[in-house]
Amino acid sequence: MQIAYRCKRANTSHMTAADQAFGRRDAVSPHAVMLFFTSGSLAEPYGYQLYTATRMWPQSPDSDDLPRLLGDLVEVAADNIAALGRAWSPLGPRGSMVNGGDMTLPAGAVYVGAGVSTLDSDRGRWYEVAATLREATAAGRYMSAFNLKGQCYAALVDGTAMHIDRDPHARLGDTGIHCNKTLDPDRITYHNPYSNLTEQGDDETRAVWRQLIALNTILATHLLARRPA
C-alpha cells in the first residue's frame, strides 16, 4: 500500500510539473518512470523505509509513446549491464536512468520494483485534457490541474502488479487501487477480479504492462544478484 500511495503522490507532482510547463519549450512528457527501493528502519511503522527514484522527460514524439519509452529503457538497461557489469546501477553515476526523487540511497537498500506515472486517463490524452485548463467555463472560471485524473502502474519483484487510478473526485473510501494480489490479509480467499490484471484492458494497456514487467525483470535480475550472500 505504501507504494500505491507513493505513486499517487508522484503522479500529482508529475501533473503539477507538466501543467506549469505546458506549451513551453521545456514542456514535460505525460509519462514518467519510478524505481522503488527499501531499507530497514525500526522507526517506520512497517520496519522499512521506502525510497522512490524518478525519471521525467521533455516532451517529444519518443517520450509521448509509453510502451516505446519503456521498451527503450529495457534496451538501455541491457546495454549498461553488458558494458559495466555488476558495477552498474540505474541510479548512476554512470548510465543513470533517473533524474529526480531519491537518487542517493543508504547502504543496503534493496530494489523492489518499477512503476509508471502517466497523465493520460479515461478522460483523454494529457495534451487534449490539459488544453481545456486554458479555456474558461461559461461562468468565466478556469479549471485547475488538481481537478484532473492521473494513473500509475507498478510491477514489483514479488510478482505484485498494481494499477492506481488517482481521481480527485473519487467517492470516499474508493482508493482507486487495483491489484493482482489481495491488499487485505484478512480476505485472502475472496474472489479477486484483478488476479489477471496485466492481461486486462486494451492493446496499449497490455503493451505497457509487458514492457514494465520486462523493465522490472531485467533490473531485479541484475540488482538482486549484486546483493551479498
Side-chain angles (χ1 to χ4, degrees):
M1 290 292 283
Q2 282 199 54
I3 286 179
Y5 290 117
R6 181 67 60 86
C7 284
K8 285 189 176 185
R9 205 163 74 195
N11 187 261
T12 299
S13 297
H14 179 197
M15 181 167 287
T16 300
D19 178 54
Q20 291 175 345
F22 186 80
R24 302 191 326 214
R25 294 183 62 182
D26 60 344
V28 175
S29 167
H31 312 303
V33 166
M34 301 169 282
L35 303 181
F36 305 112
F37 299 81
T38 60
S39 179
S41 175
L42 296 178
E44 295 299 318
Y46 297 97
Y48 67 88
Q49 176 73 44
L50 177 65
Y51 298 90
T52 308
T54 61
R55 173 68 179 267
M56 290 197 296
W57 284 264
Q59 176 187 341
S60 74
D62 289 344
S63 65
D64 289 350
D65 185 333
L66 182 51
R68 177 178 176 179
L69 181 65
L70 291 170
D72 288 345
L73 283 182
V74 174
E75 293 183 7
V76 167
D79 290 344
N80 283 325
I81 291 169
L84 302 174
R86 291 170 64 91
W88 179 71
S89 166
L91 306 187
R94 295 179 61 188
S96 175
M97 294 177 66
V98 298
N99 57 15
D102 301 314
M103 298 175 63
T104 302
L105 304 178
V110 177
Y111 171 78
V112 294
V116 165
S117 166
T118 177
L119 306 183
D120 293 342
S121 72
D122 56 10
R123 294 183 183 174
R125 298 290 188 182
W126 163 247
Y127 299 117
E128 300 166 355
V129 176
T132 66
L133 298 180
R134 278 75 190 166
E135 301 169 358
T137 65
R141 294 190 297 269
Y142 288 85
M143 288 181 60
S144 162
F146 293 102
N147 292 314
L148 300 183
K149 295 177 66 174
Q151 56 183 331
C152 299
Y153 303 81
L156 310 184
V157 297
D158 66 353
T160 298
M162 284 188 289
H163 175 258
I164 302 100
D165 187 20
R166 186 189 59 77
D167 183 357
H169 304 291
R171 292 175 299 176
L172 185 64
D174 182 1
T175 65
I177 302 170
H178 300 152
C179 186
N180 66 340
K181 298 183 179 182
T182 179
L183 297 174
D184 184 350
D186 296 325
R187 300 183 63 195
I188 57 176
T189 59
Y190 85 113
H191 170 67
N192 182 1
Y194 306 106
S195 58
N196 64 338
L197 178 65
T198 60
E199 299 301 323
Q200 297 176 357
D202 56 22
D203 290 344
E204 182 177 0
T205 299
R206 292 195 297 272
V208 169
W209 277 120
R210 285 195 299 271
Q211 297 294 357
L212 181 59
I213 290 170
L215 178 62
N216 175 58
T217 298
I218 194 170
L219 291 178
T221 301
H222 173 69
L223 294 174
L224 298 183
R226 296 172 54 194
R227 297 180 63 192

